[in-house]
Amino acid sequence: MRNTTKITAAVLATGALTLGLTACGSDKADTKAKASDPLVVAATPVPHAEVLDYIKKNLAKKEGLNLEVKEFTDYVQPNNATEDGSVDANYFQTVPYLEDFNKKNGTHLTSVATVHLEPLGLYSEKAKKLDDIKKGGTIAVPNDADNESRALRFLAANGIITLKSGSEATATPQDIEKNPKDLTFKEVEAAQTPRSLPDVDGAVINGNYAIGADLSPAKDALALESAKGNKYNNVLAVKEGNEDDPRVKKLAKLLTSPEVKKFIEDKYKGSVLPSF
């Protein structure tokens, strides 16, 4: 997070007085100062931080954007940091996850740009194809509500299980109606699903964590989520009220630029798909 300094009561008082004297007619100056400040963006390492690092090194300076990237390895801290102002924005999540997080945590986050899709995949160190997953085996799935229901819908779409009608949007293992292979589902933190592979018969892994574990979704997955009509695109998000921050607008423009599209296509070769 940003370095912080202790502010004395005297400084606070002086600041309040200054604000009172300059509040009228100072919008333009404030905007200029804000536009020149660093934009601190929380991101998970792969591919999000890699995409942001590409922008920082190759595109940001020309756009007049001072970009700082703060890496996180989970799905909770980046949203909390964006909500409390420790960072200015984040880039790691889907809109359904963001909406679920807001609902459960009372946060006020919103999407400002749709960037890419990371296809969900089923991986295994013990099976070479779907039919090889043994009866009575164990499948690891992400334990957060949005990714778990997504994982179960994905498994159902591939004929591994059947979900109870009407339960798809919020499915948990308790909503499985048919389980022909009598599989057990192990709920683990999304970031830990790749590490669970040696201990399970298969794991449903988010694309960013698969790539971070040196898996190639396009080559290594037994089954891979389709990009067509997929609502799980990854977005740039901010706290409500910050959508018009000029720095955020610059980053949104760069994240959806032809240069970034080419970078994603060249680097990830189908394992990450541009959404623009």
Side-chain angles (χ1 to χ4, degrees), residues 16-42:
L17 176 61
T18 301
L19 179 61
L21 293 172
T22 62
C24 296
S26 64
D27 289 348
K28 188 174 291 187
D30 287 345
T31 299
K32 286 183 179 179
K34 192 171 187 181
S36 67
D37 288 343
L39 180 71
V40 184
V41 184

Side-chain angles (χ1 to χ4, degrees), residues 5-204:
T5 55
K6 293 183 178 179
I7 303 176
T8 64
V11 173
L12 286 172
T14 301
L17 176 61
T18 301
L19 179 61
L21 293 172
T22 62
C24 296
S26 64
D27 289 348
K28 188 174 291 187
D30 287 345
T31 299
K32 286 183 179 179
K34 192 171 187 181
S36 67
D37 288 343
L39 180 71
V40 184
V41 184
T44 46
V46 182
H48 308 85
E50 291 181 344
V51 173
L52 292 172
D53 284 338
Y54 168 78
I55 290 174
K56 181 177 181 178
K57 293 175 183 176
N58 298 280
L59 306 174
K61 185 176 181 180
K62 185 177 180 180
E63 194 67 27
L65 177 65
N66 184 1
L67 179 62
E68 293 184 9
V69 184
K70 193 76 172 177
E71 289 192 17
F72 292 82
T73 57
D74 72 289
Y75 285 173
V76 176
Q77 293 184 76
N79 275 343
N80 288 337
T82 306
E83 177 73 14
D84 68 23
S86 300
V87 301
D88 301 300
N90 68 56
Y91 171 42
F92 77 97
Q93 66 191 318
T94 66
V95 169
Y97 180 85
L98 182 153
E99 291 174 346
D100 183 69
F101 192 95
N102 278 339
K103 183 178 179 180
K104 291 183 175 178
N105 296 279
T107 46
H108 309 83
L109 308 174
T110 187
S111 166
V112 291
T114 300
V115 185
H116 75 265
L117 173 72
E118 300 160 20
L120 204 66
L122 176 63
Y123 300 82
S124 176
E125 293 184 354
K126 301 176 176 66
K128 293 185 178 180
K129 57 183 186 294
L130 283 179
D131 290 343
D132 292 341
I133 294 177
K134 69 179 183 181
K135 190 167 185 176
T138 299
I139 304 294
V141 295
N143 66 356
D144 64 273
D146 181 63
N147 279 300
E148 182 173 57
S149 62
R150 179 185 177 188
L152 293 173
R153 289 195 301 274
F154 166 67
L155 293 174
N158 282 277
I160 297 172
I161 58 172
T162 300
L163 295 172
K164 297 175 183 175
S165 179
S167 71
E168 293 85 0
T170 57
T172 70
Q174 286 68 45
D175 295 307
I176 296 173
E177 186 172 63
K178 294 181 182 179
N179 184 1
K181 288 183 178 265
D182 194 27
L183 299 170
T184 297
F185 294 90
K186 182 178 182 181
E187 297 166 300
V188 300
E189 185 182 350
Q192 302 304 317
T193 48
R195 295 182 184 179
S196 73
L197 279 172
D199 305 315
V200 297
D201 297 281
V204 180

